Amino acid sequence: MNKYAAFDNYLKEFPSKDGRFGPYGGAYMPEELMAAFREIEAAYRQICHSAQFISELRRIRREFQGRPTPVYHCEKLSNMLGTTQIYLKREDLNHTGAHKINHCMGEGLLAKFMGKKKIIAETGAGSHGVALATAAAYFGLECDIYMGEVDIAKQAPNVSRMKLLGARVVPVSAGMKTLKEAVDAAFEAYLREYKDAIYCIGSVVGPHPFPLMVRDFQMVVGIEAREQFMQMTGLMPDAVCACVGGGSNSIGMFVPFLADPVEIIGVEPLGRGSKVGDHAASMTYGKRGILHGFESYVLADENGEPNPVYSVASGLDYPATGPEHAYLKDAGRVTYDTVSDEEAVNAFYALSRYEGIIPALESAHAVAYAIRAAKENKFDSILVNLSGRGDKDMDYVIENYGYGENFKL
C-alpha cells in the first residue's frame, strides 16, 4: 500500500470522538467550561450533517462571501524564476480579504442555531476579528474582539474596520501584548459569559471541538483548489504549500490533498532567526505540550511555560500550532519548513510588482517558499494558498521597509 492510500478514510478517522489526532488535541479546560464546550460540540454534530444548515452556508458563501475564489497562474513571476510554475488559490478575494470568513460565517450560523446573543474572539493580524465582526453584523449578534496592544498598533486598518462593523475591540496589555495574550483574555471573558455567548476560536487550535469545526469550515479552500487546478492543467500540482501559524488556512488547503500524490509543505515564520523569542516556528523548534486547552507542538521553556514569540506577520506569532498539524508532521505526510522576515517581505514586494497582487505578510511566507523552491527548480508546479490580502500590512511595511525600491527577486 502506498503512503497516500493510508489517508483515504482520514476524515472519518480523525479526530477521534474525544477530539484526538493521535496523541494530540483533546480538551483541557476549567470544569465550569466543560459543559459549555459539550454544548457546542453537540450543536455542531447536530447541524454539520443538516441539509438546511449546509444549504444556508453554501448560499452565504456564494452570495455574500464571493465563493468560489479562483486559482490564478503567476505566469510572469514563474517565468522570471525558471521553469517551476507558481499558482495561487486566491483567498484574498474573499469578502473581508482573507480565508477567515470561511469559518466565521459557519461559527456565526452555529451561534444563531444555539440561541447565543454574543460572539467572543481573539485576533492577531485582525483578519479573524474583521471576519467575525462581519459575521456578527450579518447575523445580528454582539461581538467582543480581544487584541494585543502591539497588534492593534501594527494593524490599525483592521481595528478601524472592526469598530465600523460594530464590534468592541478590547486592548490586551499583558505579557508580550500579542496573539497569545489575546487568546488568554478571550478565554477569561468566555468563562464569565458562556451562558449567553459563544467563543469563536480563530484557528484550528483550542479545546475540542474547535480544531474539528474550523477545519471542516476551511476545507472548502482545498476542495475548490484541487478541482480548479485539475480543470486548468489536467494534472495534480507537484506541491501544495501554505503559511502556518495556528494553522487554519493551511489545514483547509492540505486535508483535501492528503490522499493524492502531492508534496505538502507548511511554511512557518522564522522571524529574525532561530533563537528563543526571535521566531514563532513551533513545528520546527517546539516540543509536545499543552496550551489554551489543547495538546500539540508548543514553544515552551523547561517548566512548560510558553516562550515569547515573534514574526513580522501578526497572524503567525503564536507559540503553538493546531493539533492536526502535529499529527500530520509525525505521520510524515506534511513537511514543515521556515521562512524569515526578510524572505517574506521580499516576496511581498515581488508579488506586488510582478503580478499586481499585494499579499498579506502571513501569506507572503508561503509565496516566499514557492519563490525559493522555483529558484531551486524543486517542482514543476506548486500551488500556494494566498490566504489574505495585504491592505492591513501596507502602512507597516512602508514605514519599516519602504516601497521596495531595492528589493531583489
Side-chain angles (χ1 to χ4, degrees):
M1 184 175 72
N2 67 54
K3 68 176 182 179
Y4 307 110
F7 293 89
D8 284 343
N9 296 313
Y10 179 81
L11 289 174
K12 290 192 175 294
E13 297 173 6
F14 296 97
S16 62
K17 289 185 178 180
D18 60 351
R20 293 278 178 180
F21 299 88
Y24 305 104
Y28 303 85
M29 68 186 83
E31 185 61 36
E32 55 265 46
L33 276 182
M34 292 296 288
F37 274 75
R38 282 195 291 266
E39 179 192 15
I40 294 171
E41 181 184 6
Y44 179 68
R45 295 285 187 188
Q46 182 178 346
I47 66 172
C48 70
H49 298 296
S50 161
Q52 289 79 12
F53 178 85
I54 294 168
S55 176
E56 177 63 5
L57 187 58
R58 286 176 174 171
R59 185 193 68 78
I60 290 168
R61 285 174 169 172
R62 182 177 63 251
E63 297 176 8
F64 184 69
Q65 281 186 237
R67 299 208 73 90
T69 59
V71 166
Y72 170 74
H73 180 205
C74 295
E75 185 175 6
K76 186 178 179 183
L77 180 61
S78 300
N79 292 341
M80 292 178 73
L81 292 166
T83 60
T84 298
Q85 300 303 299
I86 299 172
Y87 293 79
L88 307 177
K89 176 59 172 167
R90 295 290 308 276
E91 288 301 287
D92 60 310
L93 295 179
N94 273 300
H95 178 47
T96 74
H99 70 290
K100 296 290 188 180
I101 194 76
N102 296 327
H103 66 257
C104 286
M105 296 308 292
E107 289 174 335
L109 196 55
L110 176 63
K112 288 291 286 186
F113 174 79
M114 295 176 69
K116 301 297 184 181
K117 298 176 182 178
K118 178 190 280 190
I119 46 183
I120 294 170
E122 81 299 325
T123 194
S127 296
H128 175 60
V130 169
L132 203 59
T134 300
Y138 183 93
F139 291 110
L141 299 166
E142 297 175 43
C143 183
D144 287 351
I145 304 294
Y146 291 79
M147 191 172 189
E149 289 181 344
V150 168
D151 293 333
I152 286 174
K154 286 174 68 176
Q155 305 294 342
N158 273 348
V159 175
S160 297
R161 293 168 77 191
M162 285 182 267
K163 290 180 178 179
L164 281 171
L165 290 161
R168 186 170 73 105
V169 180
V170 183
V172 179
S173 59
M176 300 292 290
K177 306 177 186 180
T178 56
L179 183 55
K180 184 264 178 187
E181 289 76 24
V183 176
D184 291 340
F187 260 112
E188 290 171 8
Y190 182 55
L191 188 59
R192 297 189 298 267
E193 303 182 63
Y194 64 87
K195 291 182 179 179
D196 296 316
I198 184 173
Y199 181 25
C200 295
I201 292 175
S203 194
V204 285
V205 298
H208 178 65
F210 280 94
L212 162 69
M213 286 170 42
V214 175
R215 177 196 72 185
D216 288 356
F217 290 137
Q218 287 294 345
M219 279 202 310
V220 65
V221 178
I223 291 169
E224 285 180 5
R226 186 179 183 277
E227 180 180 349
Q228 290 165 328
F229 194 91
M230 284 287 290
Q231 288 177 345
M232 290 175 74
T233 68
L235 300 167
M236 279 284 145
D238 288 343
V240 172
C241 80
C243 66
V244 179
S248 59
N249 92 90
S250 44
I251 213 70
M253 185 69 158
F254 295 168
V255 169
F257 286 95
L258 290 178
D260 296 317
V262 172
E263 294 295 316
I264 303 178
I265 303 101
V267 185
E268 294 197 289
L270 185 60
R272 296 179 291 245
S274 59
K275 291 182 179 179
V276 172
D278 280 350
H279 65 85
S282 55
M283 299 297 286
T284 303
Y285 297 105
K287 58 185 178 182
R288 188 169 164 181
I290 295 172
L291 179 68
H292 293 142
F294 69 101
E295 190 167 1
S296 187
Y297 279 89
V298 180
L299 292 167
D301 62 22
E302 60 274 9
N303 298 315
E305 292 298 315
N307 285 330
V309 292
Y310 160 79
S311 170
V312 70
S314 296
L316 301 181
D317 59 357
Y318 185 64
T321 305
E324 191 163 8
H325 283 284
Y327 173 76
L328 291 172
K329 173 180 175 165
D330 286 3
R333 183 63 190 94
V334 178
T335 301
Y336 293 84
D337 207 334
T338 61
V339 158
S340 68
D341 280 2
E342 183 180 357
E343 290 176 288
V345 172
N346 201 60
F348 178 94
Y349 291 132
L351 198 64
S352 300
R353 292 292 177 87
Y354 297 128
E355 295 293 346
I357 299 169
I358 303 173
L361 282 172
E362 292 78 14
S363 315
H365 283 71
V367 176
Y369 176 85
I371 289 172
R372 185 200 301 165
K375 288 179 177 178
E376 296 171 355
N377 200 24
K378 198 169 183 179
F379 309 109
D380 289 332
S381 62
I382 183 166
L383 175 58
V384 178
N385 189 18
L386 195 74
S387 54
R389 65 175 180 241
D391 307 38
K392 65 183 181 61
D393 296 312
M394 288 193 300
D395 291 346
Y396 176 80
V397 170
I398 292 165
E399 182 179 343
N400 289 275
Y401 299 95
Y403 288 92
E405 297 91 340
N406 300 315
F407 97 97
K408 295 179 181 178
L409 187 62

